[in-house]
């Protein structure tokens, strides 16, 4: 089929800049094209992997078997009113930020810090630690539309979804296609652009945003901060090959240049082991591994 390519490198499609090739690859631009791609994979009995902005995935060096559906071009944003929007799931959060900003709506503050796409934001219930209101995706999503495996589209209201810390459940299986976004609890007074700039400056001072990473690697365990646990084990700067625990933020693992996915994963496992031994806390990854790891 015309939409499908073979052996597409995924290295530049994830924020760690690692990983191998997709066996089959497509970039649909509409729900119709997405359906065609899914039907094609189903006919061939191929596994389907969804790649959003690639800012929270670790792509295997051996690549991804089956069909990888990249949502980079699956983008579009409609302003229903000054505080209600509908986004295709591949729309970048920065595009969404712009409309919230234009309408002086407070979600602009937390959106400014999070890369990736709207769909990935829903899957991960992306959010920030700062005490902004709102500060997580679950607070700005009105509904989520999903392409189900039988190729029907099903709409879930916010309340149908079970939202938790960096996770959402209840809409699966399927591919998120469209998301209704809204904020009806007032506007931000004052110079909102300055507030967003301050929030960005604050992040820049604390996070290694000049190096390839996937943001926070580990979830914060109940009652703990993952970064503090890693730091207190003396792991800042610990390196395996091209993978390094950031010297700036201990919950970030950066690619110092030529890291492989395996080196990043080995470092993740080493950090987990050390924190378990020294602090008796099991760290869980926030980052999702995709592709052929065995
Ligand atoms: C510098 C940096 C800073 C970050 N800071 C934060 C932060 O402050 N807070 C935070 O929460 N996260 C943060 N992250 C992590 C990341 O940006 C978020 O988790 C983001 O929501 C992931 O979106 P994405 O589109 O990149 O998803 P991807 O990484 O592409 O995918 C994540 C998962 O969602 C699935 N998926 C993606 N789109 C769809 C879809 N449409 N339908 C079904 N499944 C889908 C993928 O298959 C994968 O399992 C940061 C990352 C970086 C690189």
């Amino acid at each position: 089929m015309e939409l499908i390519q073979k052996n597409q490198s995924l290295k530049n499609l994830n924020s760690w800049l690692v990983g191998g090739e997709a066996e089959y690859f497509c970039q649909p631009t509409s729900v119709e094209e997405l359906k065609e791609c899914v039907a094609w994979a189903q006919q061939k009995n191929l596994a389907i992997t969804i790649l959003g902005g690639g800012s929270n995935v670790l792509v295997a060096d051996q690549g991804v078997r089956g069909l990888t559906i990249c949502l980079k071009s699956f983008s579009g944003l409609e302003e229903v009113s000054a505080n209600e929007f509908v986004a295709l799931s591949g729309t970048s959060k920065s595009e969404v930020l712009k409309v919230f900003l234009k309408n002086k709506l407070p979600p602009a503050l937390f959106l400014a810090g999070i890369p990736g796409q709207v769909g990935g934001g829903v899957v991960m219930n992306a959010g920030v630690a700062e005490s902004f209101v709102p500060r997580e995706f679950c607070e700005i999503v009105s509904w989520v539309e999903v392409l189900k495996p039988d190729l029907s589209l099903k709409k879930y209201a916010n309340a149908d979804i079970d939202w938790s810390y960096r996770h959402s459940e209840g809409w699966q299986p399927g591919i998120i296609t469209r998301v209704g976004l809204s904020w009806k609890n007032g506007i931000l007074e004052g110079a909102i652009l300055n507030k967003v700039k301050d929030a960005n400056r604050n992040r820049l001072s604390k996070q290694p945003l000049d190096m390839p990473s996937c943001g926070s690697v580990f979830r914060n365990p109940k009652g703990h901060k993952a970064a503090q646990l890693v730091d207190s084990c003396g792991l800042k700067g610990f390196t395996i090959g091209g993978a390094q625990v950031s010297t700036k933020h201990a919950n970030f693992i950066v690619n110092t240049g030529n890291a492989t996915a395996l080196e990043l994963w080995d470092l993740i496992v080493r950090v987990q082991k050390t924190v378990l031994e020294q602090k008796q806390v099991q760290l869980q990854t926030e980052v999702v591994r995709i592709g052929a790891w065995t």
Side-chain angles (χ1 to χ4, degrees), residues 13 15 49-57 71 74 89-90 93 110 113-130 137 166 171 174-177 203 207-209 211-216 252 286 288 290:
L13 293 171
S15 62
T49 300
I50 304 299
L51 188 61
S55 64
N56 205 45
V57 288
L71 298 174
F74 194 74
S89 60
K93 294 192 191 82
F110 91 93
I114 314 175
Q117 303 171 350
V118 172
V122 172
V123 176
M124 302 304 303
N125 188 19
V128 297
E130 288 99 324
F137 250 72
R166 302 299 166 262
W171 55 268
I175 302 169
I176 296 172
T177 46
R203 281 183 161 250
Q207 300 179 354
L209 300 180
M211 297 181 88
S213 81
C214 250
S216 294
F252 277 55
E286 188 174 311
V288 183
I290 61 173

Side-chain angles (χ1 to χ4, degrees), residues 128-132 198-210 213 215-216 225 227-228 231 236 245-254:
V128 297
E130 288 99 324
S131 55
F132 297 142
D198 284 348
N200 278 341
R201 250 194 304 274
N202 188 33
R203 281 183 161 250
L204 198 57
S205 70
K206 292 184 181 155
Q207 300 179 354
L209 300 180
D210 54 341
S213 81
S216 294
K225 288 249 186 301
Q228 272 169 14
D231 193 7
K236 263 187 176 171
V245 178
S246 165
T247 51
K248 203 166 179 183
H249 191 305
N251 200 14
F252 277 55
I253 287 181
V254 293

